[in-house]
Amino acid sequence: MEFKEVVGRRRSIRYFLPWKPVAREKIQIVLEAARLASRAGNADFARAIVVERDKLSKADLQALTLPVNAGMIEMAPVHIYWWGDLQAFTRDMPSRATEQVNMGVLNISHGWTHKFVNEVAYPQVVQVFSSDPVLNAKVTGCEAGLAISQALLAAVDEGLGTMLCTYPEGPARQVLGVPDHWTSLWVQFLGYPAEGWEAGGQRPRPPLGSLFHEGKYGTPFRGSEETVAQLRAQKMLQDPAPLPWRKEEVRAVSRMLGLPEE
Amino acid sequence: MNIELNTSQTVQTWLQGVHEQSGSTPEADTKRLQILAEFCAQVEKQPDEIIDDCLRDVDGGGKKIRAKGRRFYADKINEFEQQATGSSGEKRQKANYIRSFLIHNGVLMQTSPLA
């Protein structure tokens, strides 16, 4: 699938075929996409535990369940529990930056030397804001989020249904056995959609100019109708929700899965 | 036990939500109400009492779910489903009427998919 269509087709899928497994190769592709995401200092912010639903004990599945994830956690055959590694920047940056200087990624042209890494970038930047819990959480969440976003798009490209949801951090620590310096982010559900891939249509978003500005705050970014038409043709912009048949679809899917229909 | 359906505010909220959000037709209301009445009789509560057991007022307005009440009725609905007559799909549908009643009154209530 072309990139723009992948972006256009991504939806939060909330109905999965519980009985249809996801091939291991597809899970690997999703993780590879996350592994290759942009990340500050080339540090390992994004961490994940892949769980096959049917390998969880009933008690563990219950422990990972919240009212808001309850339907999906039982329908989706694969869960990826995403975490952020709060030690990633301080632990990884010095060696990764050194490596990148050696590889010609960080260069003299931009002021990068081993001396700059060791005497300025690490002690005066990375260490300073990594010691601030709020800043550290902000950077970790943002950087891990980039990886998660690519994981979502890769899942769509593989023909899977996917969505992000919350999970209970404390019980998840126990069930999944993660280190203390990981912070909980989202669980990504993976499976085959029980609803149409359109999932009722593309979700409405505010106009471009109300979200993004040009030059300074208050000057809306101006898009062109020609570009909108081009993105429609390339399937990045699609028919908005609700599609006319959505209520009937939800009713039918709910009935098939034994969920409340109305 | 006489179940007060016609004067119940929570029943009105439910039916209105079912018609407006889900697009269900009022023709099936008789069946919905009959199932709800059966459940109410089983737990010996009026519809409004069930919702009161699951929600509490919070300071500054609004309602919050009582976890204990919600869990209690979730278990009772599961029992109701098991004891109902009919196929597994019919049993589930009956129980889902009750879940729908709670959901439309602000009590998040979910169930496992039938696999």
Side-chain angles (χ1 to χ4, degrees):
Chain A
M1 213 184 302
E2 291 297 322
F3 173 75
K4 291 190 186 76
E5 187 175 358
V6 172
V7 172
R9 283 175 73 116
R10 190 209 58 76
R11 310 274 193 278
S12 290
I13 293 293
R14 290 180 168 81
Y15 300 92
F16 297 92
L17 298 175
W19 52 83
K20 188 167 181 180
V22 176
R24 193 170 178 82
E25 306 89 81
K26 289 185 182 287
I27 302 170
Q28 183 177 345
I29 289 166
V30 167
L31 296 174
E32 289 282 11
R35 191 171 69 97
L36 295 173
S38 170
R39 46 198 221 158
N42 201 17
D44 304 333
F45 295 95
R47 299 306 187 106
I49 311 283
V50 178
V51 173
E52 290 179 50
R53 176 203 57 204
D54 293 343
K55 289 185 178 171
L56 285 170
S57 69
K58 200 171 177 183
D60 285 348
L61 187 66
Q62 190 63 40
L64 294 168
T65 299
L66 288 172
V68 291
N69 74 19
M72 289 79 73
I73 202 169
E74 292 189 75
M75 282 185 268
V78 175
H79 312 162
I80 303 178
Y81 291 87
W82 287 104
W83 299 78
D85 185 342
L86 293 168
Q87 292 180 354
F89 218 6
T90 47
R91 183 192 59 234
D92 299 339
M93 188 274 179
S95 63
R96 301 285 167 79
T98 298
E99 189 179 56
Q100 291 189 317
V101 169
N102 292 339
M103 290 189 300
V105 174
L106 299 174
N107 298 308
I108 293 285
S109 56
H110 292 67
W112 285 92
T113 61
H114 291 305
K115 189 178 174 63
F116 182 73
V117 170
N118 295 324
E119 296 180 12
V120 179
Y122 182 67
Q124 294 181 37
V125 180
V126 173
Q127 274 193 320
V128 169
F129 78 64
S130 295
S131 63
D132 179 327
V134 174
L135 265 179
N136 194 34
K138 185 163 82 171
V139 170
T140 302
C142 177
E143 296 299 316
L146 297 170
I148 296 168
S149 178
Q150 291 199 181
L152 287 170
L153 294 176
V156 173
D157 193 43
E158 288 301 309
L160 299 171
T162 191
M163 78 163 293
L164 298 177
C165 204
T166 187
Y167 62 88
E169 177 159 7
R173 280 190 186 287
Q174 291 214 320
V175 170
L176 307 175
V178 304
D180 290 344
H181 60 275
W182 289 15
T183 186
S184 65
L185 296 172
W186 301 113
V187 54
Q188 179 182 3
F189 294 119
L190 283 181
Y192 286 89
E195 56 188 321
W197 67 264
E198 306 101 317
Q202 199 165 47
R203 283 31 171 172
R205 297 286 197 265
L208 198 69
S210 71
L211 298 173
F212 307 121
H213 305 255
E214 192 162 356
K216 62 164 60 177
Y217 177 78
T219 306
F221 183 88
R222 281 185 295 113
S224 76
E225 287 305 314
E226 291 76 16
T227 305
V228 167
Q230 178 191 333
L231 293 178
R232 280 208 151 275
Q234 292 171 324
K235 300 179 183 171
M236 187 161 147
L237 294 176
Q238 303 189 0
D239 289 340
L243 296 177
W245 58 84
R246 181 58 173 169
K247 282 187 178 174
E248 285 74 17
E249 179 183 35
V250 168
R251 186 182 292 277
V253 172
S254 299
R255 178 164 295 188
M256 177 180 76
L257 294 166
L259 304 173
E261 294 173 37
E262 55 178 36
Chain B
M1 183 182 183
N2 184 34
I3 307 300
E4 295 294 334
L5 295 173
N6 295 330
T7 57
S8 163
Q9 181 60 50
T10 56
V11 170
Q12 292 310 310
T13 300
W14 176 38
L15 295 180
Q16 189 179 345
V18 163
H19 302 157
E20 290 179 2
Q21 185 179 340
S22 308
S24 300
T25 57
E27 285 73 50
D29 283 353
T30 308
K31 187 178 178 191
R32 289 185 188 98
L33 293 172
Q34 181 195 332
I35 304 283
L36 178 62
E38 284 175 26
F39 179 76
C40 289
Q42 181 172 308
V43 297
E44 298 180 330
K45 295 270 189 177
Q46 297 294 338
D48 292 358
E49 289 178 311
I50 292 175
I51 300 304
D52 279 347
D53 288 345
C54 295
L55 295 175
R56 65 180 170 82
D57 294 323
V58 291
D59 293 341
K63 303 268 188 187
K64 197 170 178 182
I65 291 177
R66 292 180 203 265
K68 200 173 165 184
R70 178 178 169 275
R71 207 162 37 240
F72 173 81
Y73 284 106
D75 291 342
K76 288 293 175 191
I77 295 169
N78 288 338
E79 285 175 25
F80 184 71
E81 180 173 338
Q82 286 163 12
Q83 292 164 8
T85 55
S87 66
S88 60
E90 289 165 339
K91 288 168 177 247
R92 174 58 66 94
Q93 194 174 15
K94 286 179 185 170
N96 279 343
Y97 279 128
I98 313 305
R99 294 187 180 101
S100 169
F101 165 69
L102 285 149
I103 291 166
H104 280 284
N105 278 286
V107 183
L108 185 60
M109 187 66 62
Q110 294 189 318
T111 185
S112 299
L114 287 174

